[in-house]
């Protein structure tokens, strides 16, 4: 296929026939390149091209061996997919590399982006694709003793497809041995000059890690020499499940990715699904979605606010913010019937119309929260001990943040006013008035400042939703909207059949692929979906902000002390399920 | 007033101190709950008052578990030290005229000595546990409490200068005309801060630092050994509160009501203040705490002492 977009032309000018192009449903310029030209091309895109693609947004792979519809694509068993983001162009580019099964390796890009480190380990872990020259190519989500690569199509998806689990004494010993901590394997030395290091195991059960995160700390006294996170304890194979669940029944699984984000996850997933299906969501449904998503942004930020203060050693705020969150949940509950995981958005709209009296609940909340925030400013943000603990601790520059794939409030705290709601509006965000809060220093305190202001901005958006809620349908009448609008089901046979198929098998999405990315509570959450023209997704890739953020821990914490590490962890605002999926 | 039999007063003070400490557990939980928009323990007995009883039964019945990797004798000794030193300090505490176990002429020094000994408990607990978190907690405790001890003693010397004695009942009597909190306000503030540090409560709970060190120096303790640290902490709180009222607020002195009532009234207001501080403040970092201690508190205490000394000299 010929080059259609500007960047594709630039790639052709430079790399000529080594590149082929593909058109995708999300209209992201997509280029196929050969294995050996990957580093050169990526370096070209990051450093040489005008308006460069500074961020490695995502790196994943697709097992193509069972895929039936690959018209116009080069032959490939395993395809590695790079998503790059250019802030100057406000545009993504997708680079694909075709690999043969028996030669599943390609050169590493860790020298171009430090952030590639974990992504490449994940691709190795999940697909068995090796990256030559990677500094530490170990499994990342699965245990070291795991056999097989789970996202390969031949790997069983559920326990019933494999034999019962047996733990023989030999296996038990081997598993225990595999758990033994050897600093060398983690890339840490045991001593420096005249001092022996202490190795402190922080987590996976530790009050400061907000979940099952394990950190191996290399300490000189209480000073952190290095910190290496071990993740994967919360891995539940969400991407693999995407390959068995119908497009519709996968929605509840998304709620549990960023489990503080509730319907925000539905929104990210459905943005991608609706791009595949070509559904335009009716205005009322859009506004309802925005309203609930922003309420969940507030809910998530409130949890962060309280727990962050607790990480700094303040014991009361967590009770205050959780009480506020409870009020927000009572609204969510009245509308959706559930609290943390409503799974309430549907393909083409939302599950039901708003109940009677919803405006009053929102208005009460909009009046209730701002005075509370003023109080928290006094008790938390203006407390001098709090300031002494958070200012100048764990700071990024914009360039470093971009380099590490940091998005969301953490990126805005460095001074870059990049908000996907404004830059690449989705779901009708272009119709709302709100500001993008930013800060300057990118330290723990500034990250807090940005989030707190975001709560206020979200309230503004919600207020606009309440004041301007359009009338009309809450779900699209597109044939792929699921479950379909039911009004005419009992009146004509065509609608009845569509309805029946759509609720029993589920909708069949058109062949193609799409990335749907939104400004979620913690940063950019993207779903990259590949449809092979069936009732289930062929590949569901979930790009989460927390994964990128937690990888920055080592550079942020080196040279500081354990209390600072805990504060940095709190300020990054991650959720373990969002890291491990 | 004639003193009761020494054994009786020893028993009396010990029992009262212990029951106040136990009662404080309930008070603190209810007060914290009040300030944190929640209920706190309100199920066992009226207003949850019997929660303490239920907790004590539970903690006494727990398995007395000593991990195999600890330094056994020291591990067992450590919680006893905190308990004993705090109880010993109560011996010199004048509750009301004549109600005192032992009116030592060096009562104040005895109190300071005992609170210095209390540091050993935390350090030894952290050391003997053979646990890295406990060790870090113990190290922090040693550094923190040693540096805060220094100006704790100094902050009280102003009071001694004014009263001209180390005996606590005499110090109370010396406040008949004016409570020492007025001439010795800087000393009061410094002692309050040092007292918070001495009892290892927020914002000085670095040796425990739940969000960082899990439970710090007492990570490996359970059952009644943990209970000793726990109750010891509350006894420390009541001791410091009592000392503040004796040294700066005229102890039992006060109009109309009997002296004992005044004493407990003052003491409980400071206890409530301690709880309020815990509800309000975050925790500074270890090095910040040390630099505040040495660079701010110690010079202030010295200046206060110099100024008081000069004033006393000029006055007489």
């Amino acid at each position: 296929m010929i080059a259609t977009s500007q960047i594709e032309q630039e790639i052709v000018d430079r790399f000529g026939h080594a590149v082929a192009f593909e058109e995708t449903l999300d209209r992201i310029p997509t280029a196929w390149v050969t294995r050996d030209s990957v580093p050169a091309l990526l370096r070209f895109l990051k450093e040489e091209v005008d308006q460069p693609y500074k961020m490695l947004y995502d790196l994943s792979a697709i097992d193509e061996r069972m895929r039936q519809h690959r018209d116009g694509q080069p032959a490939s068993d395993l395809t590695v997919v790079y998503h790059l983001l250019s802030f100057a162009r406000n545009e993504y580019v997708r680079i694909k590399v075709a690999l043969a099964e028996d030669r599943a390796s390609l050169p590493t890009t860790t020298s171009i982006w430090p952030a590639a480190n974990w992504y490449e380990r994940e691709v190795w872990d999940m697909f068995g694709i090796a990256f030559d020259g990677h500094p530490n190519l170990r499994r990342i989500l699965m245990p070291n003793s795991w056999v097989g690569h789970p996202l390969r199509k031949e790997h069983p998806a559920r326990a019933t497809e494999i034999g019962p689990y047996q733990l023989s004494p030999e296996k038990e010993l081997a598993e225990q041995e595999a758990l033994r901590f050897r600093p060398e394997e983690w890339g840490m030395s045991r001593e420096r000059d005249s001092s022996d290091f202490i190795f402190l195991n922080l987590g996976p059960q530790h009050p400061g890690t907000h979940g099952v995160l394990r950190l191996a700390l290399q300490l000189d006294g209480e000073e952190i020499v290095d910190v290496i996170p071990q993740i994967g304890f919360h891995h539940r194979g969400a991407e693999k499940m995407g390959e068995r669940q119908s497009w519709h029944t996968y929605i509840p699984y998304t709620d549990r990715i960023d489990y503080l984000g509730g319907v925000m996850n539905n929104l990210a997933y459905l943005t991608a699904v609706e791009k595949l299906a070509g559904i335009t969501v009716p205005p009322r449904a859009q506004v309802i979605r925005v309203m609930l998503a922003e309420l969940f942004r507030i809910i998530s930020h409130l949890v962060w606010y309280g727990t962050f203060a607790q990480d700094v050693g303040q014991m009361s705020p967590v009770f205050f913010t959780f009480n506020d969150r409870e009020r927000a949940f009572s609204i969510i509950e009245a509308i959706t019937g559930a609290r943390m995981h409503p799974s309430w958005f549907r393909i083409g709209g939302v599950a039901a119309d708003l109940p009677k009296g919803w405006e009053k609940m929102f208005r009460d909340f909009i009046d209730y929260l701002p005075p509370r925030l003023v109080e928290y400013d006094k008790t938390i943000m203006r407390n001098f001990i709090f300031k002494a603990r958070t200012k100048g601790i764990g700071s990024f520059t914009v360039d470093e943040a971009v380099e590490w794939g940091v998005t969301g409030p953490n990126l805005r705290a460095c001074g870059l006013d990049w908000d996907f709601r404004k830059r690449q509006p989705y779901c009708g965000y272009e119709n709302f008035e709100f500001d993008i809060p930013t800060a300057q220093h990118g330290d723990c305190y500034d990250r807090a400042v940005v989030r707190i202001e975001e709560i206020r901005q979200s309230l503004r958006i919600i207020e606009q939703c309440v004041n301007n809620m359009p009338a009309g349908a809450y779900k699209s009448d597109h044939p792929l909207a699921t479950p379909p609008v039911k009004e005419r089901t009992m009146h004509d046979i065509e609608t009845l059949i569509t309805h029946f198929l759509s609720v029993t098998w589920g909708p069949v999405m058109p062949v193609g692929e799409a990335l749907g990315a939104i400004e979620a509570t913690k940063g950019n959450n993207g779903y990259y979906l590949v449809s092979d023209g069936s009732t289930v997704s062929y590949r569901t890739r979930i790009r989460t902000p927390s994964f990128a953020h937690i990888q920055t821990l080592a550079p942020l914490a080196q040279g500081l002390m354990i209390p600072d590490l805990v504060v940095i962890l709190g300020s990054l605002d991650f959720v373990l399920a969002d890291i491990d999926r | 007033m004639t003193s009761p039999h020494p054994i009786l007063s020893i028993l009396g003070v010990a029992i009262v101190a212990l029951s106040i400490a136990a009662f404080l557990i309930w008070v603190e939980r209810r007060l914290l709950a009040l300030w944190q928009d929640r209920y706190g323990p309100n199920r066992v007995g009226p207003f949850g008052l019997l929660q303490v009883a239920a907790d004590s039964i539970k903690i006494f019945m727990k398995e007395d578990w000593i991990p195999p990797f600890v330094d056994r004798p020291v591990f067992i000794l450590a919680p006893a030290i905190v308990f004993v030193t705090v109880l010993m300090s109560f011996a010199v505490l004048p509750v009301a005229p004549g109600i005192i176990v032992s009116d030592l002429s060096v009562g104040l020094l005895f109190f300071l000595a005992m609170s210095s000994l209390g540091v050993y408990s935390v350090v030894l607990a952290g050391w003997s546990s053979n646990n890295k978190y406990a060790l870090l907690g113990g190290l922090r405790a040693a550094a923190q409490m040693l540096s805060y001890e220094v100006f704790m003693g100094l902050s009280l010397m102003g009071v001694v200068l004014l009263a001209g004695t180390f005996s606590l009942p005499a110090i109370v009597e010396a406040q008949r005309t004016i409570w020492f909190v007025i001439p010795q306000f800087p000393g009061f503030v410094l002692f309050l801060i040092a007292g918070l540090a001495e009892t290892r409560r927020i914002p000085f709970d670095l040796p425990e630092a739940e969000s960082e060190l899990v439970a710090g120096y007492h990570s490996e303790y359970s059952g009644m050994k943990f209970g000793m640290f726990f109750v010891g902490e509350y006894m420390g709180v009541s001791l410091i509160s009592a000392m503040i009222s004796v040294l700066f607020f005229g102890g039992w002195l006060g109009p109309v009501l009997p002296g004992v009532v005044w004493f407990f009234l003052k003491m409980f207001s400071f206890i409530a203040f301690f709880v309020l501080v815990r509800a309000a403040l975050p925790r500074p970092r270890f090095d910040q705490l040390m630099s505040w201690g040495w660079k701010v508190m110690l010079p202030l205490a010295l200046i206060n002492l110099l100024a008081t000394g000069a004033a006393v000299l000029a006055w007489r």
Side-chain angles (χ1 to χ4, degrees):
Chain A
M1 192 171 285
I2 46 159
T4 49
S5 68
Q6 191 199 342
I7 183 61
E8 289 178 347
Q9 194 56 51
E10 288 168 52
I11 296 174
V12 170
D13 292 346
R14 177 67 178 264
F15 289 87
H17 301 293
V19 195
F21 297 103
E22 180 192 346
E23 199 168 318
T24 55
L25 289 171
D26 54 14
R27 297 173 193 282
I28 292 177
T30 304
W32 285 85
V33 296
T34 55
R35 182 179 176 278
D36 299 319
S37 51
V38 176
L41 177 73
L42 292 178
R43 201 172 276 284
F44 169 70
L45 290 172
K46 186 194 173 194
E47 285 161 10
E48 290 162 39
V49 80
D50 274 355
Q51 298 181 310
Y53 291 81
K54 288 279 190 194
M55 183 182 278
L56 176 67
Y57 172 77
D58 193 17
L59 197 177
S60 187
I62 306 168
D63 181 353
E64 308 263 23
R65 288 169 301 169
M66 312 283 281
R67 194 164 162 190
Q68 282 158 6
H69 303 93
R70 299 192 67 245
D71 309 334
Q73 299 182 21
S76 172
D77 292 332
L78 296 161
T79 303
V80 174
V81 186
Y82 297 83
H83 282 94
L84 313 184
L85 175 63
S86 164
F87 292 98
R89 294 170 194 247
N90 190 14
E91 211 177 63
Y92 295 99
V93 66
R94 184 181 290 135
I95 308 295
K96 289 184 169 183
V97 190
L99 296 174
E101 196 184 346
D102 51 2
R103 206 163 155 251
S105 74
L106 74 169
T108 178
T109 47
T110 44
S111 56
I112 309 177
W113 282 283
N117 189 321
W118 278 21
Y119 286 107
E120 289 181 356
R121 278 176 67 188
E122 190 187 346
V123 171
W124 157 251
D125 193 1
M126 292 292 138
F127 291 92
I129 299 171
F131 289 85
D132 305 330
H134 188 285
N136 193 5
L137 197 64
R138 293 182 294 141
R139 286 191 183 273
I140 186 165
L141 295 176
M142 308 305 283
N144 281 331
S145 54
W146 192 263
V147 181
H149 299 283
L151 281 178
R152 284 190 172 217
K153 290 289 176 186
E154 73 266 17
H155 195 281
R158 28 183 190 187
T160 45
E161 292 169 17
I162 46 180
Y165 180 76
Q166 307 218 311
L167 187 64
S168 61
E170 301 79 59
K171 192 172 175 189
E172 190 184 345
L173 285 177
E175 292 281 347
Q176 282 179 9
E177 192 53 34
L179 290 176
R180 186 184 296 279
F181 177 72
R182 291 181 198 82
E184 295 79 17
E185 280 175 15
W186 297 58
M188 297 191 282
S189 62
R190 286 179 192 265
E191 70 217 334
R192 173 174 71 183
D193 305 330
S194 56
S195 56
D196 288 348
F197 294 128
I198 305 178
F199 292 96
L200 186 67
N201 181 46
L202 201 98
Q205 310 298 335
H206 185 283
T209 56
H210 296 239
V212 277
L213 170 69
R214 179 182 175 199
L215 305 171
L217 296 181
Q218 185 184 26
L219 299 174
D220 189 355
E222 249 199 76
E223 185 200 319
I224 296 166
V225 179
D226 202 0
V227 45
I228 300 187
Q230 188 190 12
I231 61 171
F233 295 98
H234 213 308
H235 180 62
R236 296 154 301 173
E239 294 181 8
K240 187 82 175 174
M241 285 187 229
E243 297 170 18
R244 326 186 36 98
Q245 296 295 327
S246 79
W247 298 99
H248 171 61
T249 57
Y250 189 63
I251 295 173
Y253 289 89
T254 65
D255 277 45
R256 286 145 181 89
I257 301 296
D258 167 9
Y259 54 67
L260 300 176
V263 295
M264 189 73 89
N265 299 282
N266 303 163
L267 185 59
Y269 171 66
L270 292 173
T271 305
V273 173
E274 282 155 11
K275 273 186 192 168
L276 285 176
I279 297 177
T280 315
V281 178
R284 184 177 175 85
Q286 278 195 343
V287 177
I288 296 176
R289 281 181 176 187
V290 167
M291 191 167 70
L292 291 190
E294 291 304 321
L295 190 57
F296 260 107
R297 189 186 310 280
I298 294 174
I299 289 172
S300 166
H301 283 4
L302 284 174
V303 172
W304 158 81
Y305 204 172
T307 52
F308 181 46
Q310 195 165 43
D311 288 334
V312 186
Q314 209 165 7
M315 85 182 290
S316 300
V318 74
F319 295 102
F320 302 144
T321 59
F322 271 61
N323 274 352
D324 300 344
R325 175 178 181 245
E326 208 51 41
R327 291 189 184 234
F329 270 152
S330 67
I331 303 177
I332 298 287
E333 205 175 346
I335 294 176
T336 69
R339 289 157 49 87
M340 278 179 81
H341 308 305
S343 319
W344 197 66
F345 292 177
R346 297 289 181 268
I347 302 173
V350 294
D353 210 343
L354 294 168
K356 268 186 195 158
W358 64 273
E359 296 102 328
K360 184 169 186 316
M361 302 191 79
F362 277 105
R363 288 216 165 113
D364 288 349
F365 188 71
I366 293 168
D367 291 339
Y368 164 80
L369 197 57
R372 302 280 291 187
L373 291 178
V374 173
E375 233 174 90
Y376 303 154
D377 265 350
K378 282 184 209 151
T379 46
I380 306 172
M381 297 301 285
R382 278 194 247 146
N383 183 300
F384 86 103
I385 300 178
F386 184 87
K387 283 186 185 168
R389 287 293 308 278
T390 52
K391 284 201 167 174
I393 301 295
S395 55
F396 285 132
T397 63
V398 174
D399 290 339
E400 284 164 348
V402 168
E403 197 77 358
W404 283 99
V406 172
T407 52
N410 294 344
L411 177 61
R412 291 190 283 276
C414 314
L416 184 61
D417 61 338
W418 190 273
D419 188 317
F420 287 88
R421 292 174 292 177
K422 278 263 197 245
R423 303 290 176 149
Q424 305 181 355
Y426 52 91
C427 201
Y429 269 108
E430 63 274 19
N431 305 324
F432 293 93
E433 267 179 36
F434 61 97
D435 300 327
I436 309 174
T438 55
Q440 290 309 316
H441 310 98
D443 55 13
C444 293
Y445 189 79
D446 280 6
R447 290 196 271 274
V449 169
V450 167
R451 286 204 182 84
I452 293 158
E453 188 51 35
E454 277 192 19
I455 299 180
R456 297 201 171 94
Q457 296 301 326
S458 292
L459 282 173
R460 248 177 99 186
I461 298 174
I462 293 175
E463 192 167 15
Q464 292 168 48
C465 293
V466 177
N467 291 336
N468 306 300
M469 180 62 71
Y474 61 85
K475 194 186 283 169
S476 163
D477 60 357
H478 191 282
L480 288 174
T482 316
V485 182
K486 216 170 173 180
E487 271 153 12
R488 299 199 49 80
T489 22
M490 293 304 178
H491 299 282
D492 64 68
I493 188 68
E494 272 308 315
T495 332
L496 182 62
I497 291 172
T498 320
H499 187 273
F500 181 76
L501 291 180
S502 163
V503 281
T504 49
W505 294 346
V508 175
M509 289 295 151
V511 175
E513 50 195 70
L515 170 75
I518 67 161
E519 183 71 37
T521 58
K522 293 166 181 59
N524 187 297
N525 183 204
Y527 281 73
Y528 172 50
L529 302 175
V530 178
S531 167
D532 203 20
S534 105
T535 55
V536 299
S537 152
Y538 184 81
R539 168 87 173 101
T540 304
R541 163 66 187 169
I542 310 171
R543 190 272 180 199
T544 59
S546 299
F547 187 83
H549 293 165
I550 208 68
Q551 196 183 179
T552 65
L553 192 60
L556 286 183
Q558 276 161 4
L560 302 176
M561 294 168 72
I562 298 176
D564 297 324
L565 174 76
V566 175
V567 171
I568 292 171
L569 277 175
S571 75
L572 285 177
D573 188 24
F574 60 93
V575 151
L576 259 300
D578 201 38
I579 299 173
D580 294 344
R581 285 152 286 134
Chain B
M1 192 190 273
T2 52
S3 235
H5 194 273
I7 300 289
L8 275 183
S9 54
I10 289 173
L11 272 180
V13 167
I15 287 169
V16 170
L18 277 172
S19 12
I20 287 178
F23 174 61
L24 268 192
I25 299 175
W26 177 83
V27 169
E28 165 148 63
R29 290 177 66 184
R30 291 291 288 196
L31 278 180
L32 279 179
L34 179 74
W35 286 315
Q36 291 170 347
D37 293 354
R38 56 194 177 88
Y39 291 115
N42 64 350
R43 297 288 135 151
V44 195
F47 307 107
L49 265 170
L50 295 181
Q51 183 71 40
V52 178
D55 282 352
S56 342
I57 293 171
K58 182 199 77 172
I59 211 157
F60 274 112
M61 295 299 157
K62 273 198 164 180
E63 183 186 357
D64 186 27
W65 164 248
I66 298 173
F69 46 80
V70 302
D71 184 347
R72 212 179 148 92
V74 184
F75 186 81
I76 295 172
L77 191 65
I81 294 179
V82 69
F83 215 70
V84 169
T85 54
V86 179
L87 267 182
M88 296 277 273
S89 302
F90 275 100
V92 292
L93 190 74
V95 177
I99 307 187
I100 182 168
V101 174
S102 165
D103 181 5
L104 288 182
S105 57
V106 289
L108 189 59
L109 290 182
F110 182 80
F111 157 75
L112 288 174
M114 280 301 133
S115 77
S116 305
L117 279 179
V119 183
Y120 282 100
S121 131
V122 178
V123 176
L124 291 179
W127 180 254
S128 67
S129 292
N130 266 327
N131 169 315
K132 290 173 190 168
Y133 287 108
L135 178 65
L136 287 173
L139 284 176
R140 286 177 175 195
Q144 169 185 327
M145 294 171 85
L146 282 177
S147 38
Y148 277 67
E149 207 106 89
V150 175
F151 72 82
M152 183 185 209
L154 281 175
S155 68
L156 293 181
M157 288 312 125
V159 170
V160 175
L161 275 177
L162 289 181
T165 171
F166 280 110
S167 152
L168 291 170
I171 288 178
V172 175
E173 284 301 331
Q175 298 179 64
R176 283 233 177 254
T177 45
I178 189 167
W179 287 356
F180 283 157
V181 63
I182 295 164
Q184 275 300 308
F185 189 73
F188 161 67
V189 174
L190 289 167
F191 181 70
L192 190 71
I193 294 171
L196 276 172
E198 204 56 32
T199 47
R200 303 180 299 281
R201 290 173 58 85
I202 287 176
F204 300 100
D205 68 334
L206 282 87
E208 296 185 40
E210 196 226 349
S211 58
E212 301 153 19
L213 297 185
V214 191
Y217 65 92
H218 60 59
S219 295
E220 294 294 346
Y221 282 90
S222 62
M224 199 47 218
K225 288 200 188 62
F226 165 74
M228 303 260 263
F229 281 118
F230 198 60
V231 176
E233 181 187 319
Y234 284 100
M235 288 207 301
V237 172
S238 25
L239 178 67
I240 295 291
S241 306
M243 286 308 281
I244 292 174
S245 39
V246 165
L247 293 170
F248 294 99
F249 287 83
W252 66 78
L253 300 177
V256 189
L257 299 171
V260 183
V261 177
W262 273 114
F263 175 82
F264 281 110
L265 216 58
K266 289 170 186 171
M267 178 176 145
F268 276 110
S269 357
F270 284 104
I271 288 173
F273 175 76
F274 273 49
V275 179
L276 180 61
V277 166
R278 181 171 178 207
L281 289 183
R283 178 191 309 125
R285 206 174 53 218
F286 178 60
D287 53 322
Q288 295 169 341
L289 193 78
M290 298 297 283
S291 71
W292 290 337
W294 289 104
K295 292 184 188 158
V296 182
M297 304 298 178
L298 184 63
L300 279 181
L302 285 170
I303 291 169
N304 179 47
L305 182 59
L306 272 177
T308 316
V312 169
L313 262 183
W315 204 258
R316 287 184 186 152

